[in-house]
Amino acid sequence: CLESRGSWLASALFAIHPVQVESVAWITERKNLLSGFFYFLSLYFFLRFYSPNQPLNASEDQNGKKSWALYVFSLFFFICALWSKTVACTLPAVILLLFWWKQNRIGKKPFLLMIPYLTVGLGFALLTIWLEKFNVGAIGREWEFSFWDRFLIAGRVLWFYIEKLIWPFPIIFTYPRWVIDDSLWWQYIYPLTFSSLIFILWVWRKNIGRGPLTAILFFAGSLFPALGFFDVFPMKYSFVADHFQYLPCIGIIVIFTGVAEKLLDKAIPLSRFVLYTGLIFFLGNLTWNLGPVYKDTFSLWKDTIQKNPGAWMAHNNFANILDKNGELEKAISHYRTAIAVEPDIALPHVNLGNTLAKQGKLEEAIFHYRAAIKIEPGYFVAENNLGETLVKKGAIDKAIVHYQAAISMNPDYALAHYNLGIALTKIGAIEQAITHYKTAVQAKPDFASAHNNLANSLENKGELDEAIIHYRAAIRLKPDYFESHFNLGNALAKKGELGKAITQYRAAIKIKPDEASAPNNL
């Protein structure tokens, strides 16, 4: 019912363009597909209910029920789109924009119909803003921008996405993060030129129609949540990502296809077919070649580093994979690169410290843990890991200080309570150790090692019944836990339950046939 020229070509380009690969191939961005599916369903049912080309009652059946059913379906699918991804909150503004395009005004009736959409959309938007800041962690120096900084970011983001649609080279999972400086005059070129483009299309609307202006406003408006005016976590790494323009790109694509159809209107049908087919195959080939990049995280971060060597996150995440694969030297090299690129980010320091500790390079590991704590004083993981490394060096008292610091920062941090329990046990403070082991299992009930150590301490105090409960809990969580089977056997033997003790010793022998302790006790 919108009667847009070249809609078939726009649909094909939308489906095949390489900027869409991230949304389709990367599992965490499949929410774009789901949200987009419900977004289009909501728009479709609303336009069936009330098209800008016809009056409201034109879509009603004889009993006047059909239209309102369509409206309810539209609102329902809009809510589904919001649950999938909150960026769909721009849909009511898009619908009003379509009415302006077709009717040159926004009447009272469509505006009133949009009130439920606007209310629900605003609610989801405010919730997402809160979650991004206080739950996801979009807070800190990486998000400290003035209004003018954000104005500059927005202008550059808009032109970036247009450029990627026109010239999709290279397509990168994590693009370089620009340095924004509102004292540099040239950075104002981006927002001013885009604003000028909108002004020109507004002035020319009587000559060229309202279509181009509608399309560019759709593009900018749909991108508004990701233009930098609101803090979202990905801004820590980059101001742009291909998945942000999954739906907004339709506006630019429609402008292109509309112009192409007009310019080639009188061309020979065969030549139009060849040009359109060639374009689709060209973009399809790019998309096909980009797909394997997303087959796993190893391929993704390797490709990102090749195309954007300054992506510290890519170096850090690639190093994590190498570390898990046992390639410690390569992992260390990438951690060092991440630190060289962004020396004031704590995470690579902690990860480098972990890998160095695995190699026994304790002093260097301690240096990087301390560097992370200096950068981010509330980094409880760094405090805990520093404590673990100090224990390996035999500095128990110093380790206890850092475990306590980690707990003060995060009272529910089970690992720090567990490690503090171990350290306290080493210095003979059994009662305090039990307290922290109990806190650890309360904070993390599936913490098998904490159950086992708590049981050990309780057994040492002579509290066999409670110790047996925690040994059994550890075994339930980790059936092949040799130490818990063995220790449970000892506890049962002390209680005189020799048959049950033998069963546990045999279970321990089955797990570790070469371990001498269980056969000896058996």
Side-chain angles (χ1 to χ4, degrees), residues 18 21-29 171-175 241-243 289-309 311 313-319 321 334:
V21 173
E22 182 183 342
S23 293
V24 176
W26 193 237
I27 189 65
T28 57
E29 292 308 326
I171 297 292
I172 313 175
F173 183 71
T174 303
Y175 290 97
D242 290 325
H243 66 266
N289 292 332
L290 192 60
V293 169
Y294 292 88
K295 69 178 180 180
D296 53 38
T297 53
F298 184 89
S299 300
L300 179 67
W301 298 124
K302 184 178 180 181
D303 180 79
T304 303
I305 290 169
Q306 289 173 347
K307 296 174 179 176
N308 180 14
M313 179 187 66
H315 283 285
N316 178 79
N317 291 358
F318 190 59
I321 298 170
H334 283 282

Side-chain angles (χ1 to χ4, degrees), residues 481-491 504-505 508 517-519 521:
Y481 199 166
F482 170 85
E483 288 78 7
S484 287
H485 282 288
F486 177 73
N487 293 337
L488 178 56
N490 290 341
Q504 295 304 319
Y505 288 140
S517 54
N521 286 23

Side-chain angles (χ1 to χ4, degrees), residues 70-359:
L70 292 173
Y71 180 81
V72 171
F73 280 133
S74 174
L75 184 58
F76 170 74
F77 286 125
F78 175 59
I79 294 171
C80 290
L82 289 170
W83 275 117
S84 304
K85 192 170 184 178
T86 315
V87 73
C89 67
T90 58
L91 177 59
V94 168
I95 290 174
L96 294 176
L97 179 64
L98 294 177
F99 275 85
W100 175 82
W101 172 34
K102 289 297 184 178
Q103 300 180 352
N104 197 24
R105 66 185 181 88
I106 299 175
K108 179 181 178 181
K109 191 171 291 183
F111 180 79
L112 291 175
L113 290 170
M114 282 298 101
I115 288 178
Y117 293 75
L118 291 166
T119 303
V120 175
L122 180 61
F124 271 84
L126 292 174
L127 175 62
T128 301
I129 291 170
W130 186 88
L131 289 173
E132 284 285 339
K133 187 173 184 179
F134 297 106
N135 189 274
V136 181
I139 187 171
R141 66 178 183 85
E142 292 93 347
W143 295 270
E144 292 175 355
F145 297 104
S146 67
F147 169 80
W148 290 111
D149 288 333
R150 295 178 186 275
F151 179 67
L152 298 177
I153 292 169
R156 195 161 179 178
V157 166
L158 289 163
W159 283 117
F160 173 87
Y161 287 130
I162 292 174
E163 176 195 348
K164 281 299 163 187
L165 287 169
I166 297 171
W167 186 251
F169 300 98
I171 297 292
I172 313 175
F173 183 71
T174 303
Y175 290 97
R177 191 176 191 265
W178 310 313
V179 176
I180 301 299
D181 187 347
D182 58 15
S183 66
L184 298 176
W185 68 268
W186 61 268
Q187 294 202 4
Y188 289 85
I189 293 174
Y190 295 101
L192 292 177
T193 52
F194 195 86
S195 300
S196 299
L197 174 62
I198 292 176
F199 177 74
I200 291 169
L201 292 176
W202 170 262
V203 172
W204 287 356
R205 71 189 186 284
K206 293 182 179 179
N207 298 320
I208 63 174
R210 293 183 296 275
L213 179 57
T214 301
I216 204 72
L217 289 175
F218 167 85
F219 169 72
S222 299
L223 269 175
F224 185 73
L227 289 182
F229 293 110
F230 306 105
D231 293 334
V232 292
F233 190 76
M235 288 173 63
K236 182 172 184 173
Y237 314 111
S238 177
F239 297 118
V240 290
D242 290 325
H243 66 266
F244 285 138
Q245 71 159 327
Y246 176 70
L247 290 177
C249 71
I250 294 172
I252 303 302
I253 291 173
V254 165
I255 291 176
F256 169 79
T257 56
V259 171
E261 283 287 284
K262 190 168 185 178
L263 292 177
L264 299 175
D265 188 42
K266 296 181 180 179
I268 300 172
L270 179 61
S271 63
R272 292 173 61 190
F273 175 79
V274 170
L275 286 172
Y276 290 159
T277 303
L279 176 60
I280 291 171
F281 271 95
F282 171 71
L283 294 174
N285 182 62
L286 294 179
T287 297
W288 178 265
N289 292 332
L290 192 60
V293 169
Y294 292 88
K295 69 178 180 180
D296 53 38
T297 53
F298 184 89
S299 300
L300 179 67
W301 298 124
K302 184 178 180 181
D303 180 79
T304 303
I305 290 169
Q306 289 173 347
K307 296 174 179 176
N308 180 14
W312 72 266
M313 179 187 66
H315 283 285
N316 178 79
N317 291 358
F318 190 59
N320 288 343
I321 298 170
L322 293 170
D323 179 88
K324 289 180 181 178
N325 293 340
E327 300 180 64
L328 301 187
E329 288 298 334
K330 290 182 180 179
I332 287 171
S333 175
H334 283 282
Y335 285 136
R336 293 193 192 282
T337 302
I339 291 169
V341 172
E342 284 288 349
D344 294 331
I345 299 291
L347 180 60
H349 282 284
V350 171
N351 290 338
L352 176 55
N354 295 343
T355 306
L356 291 167
K358 287 181 182 179
Q359 291 188 323

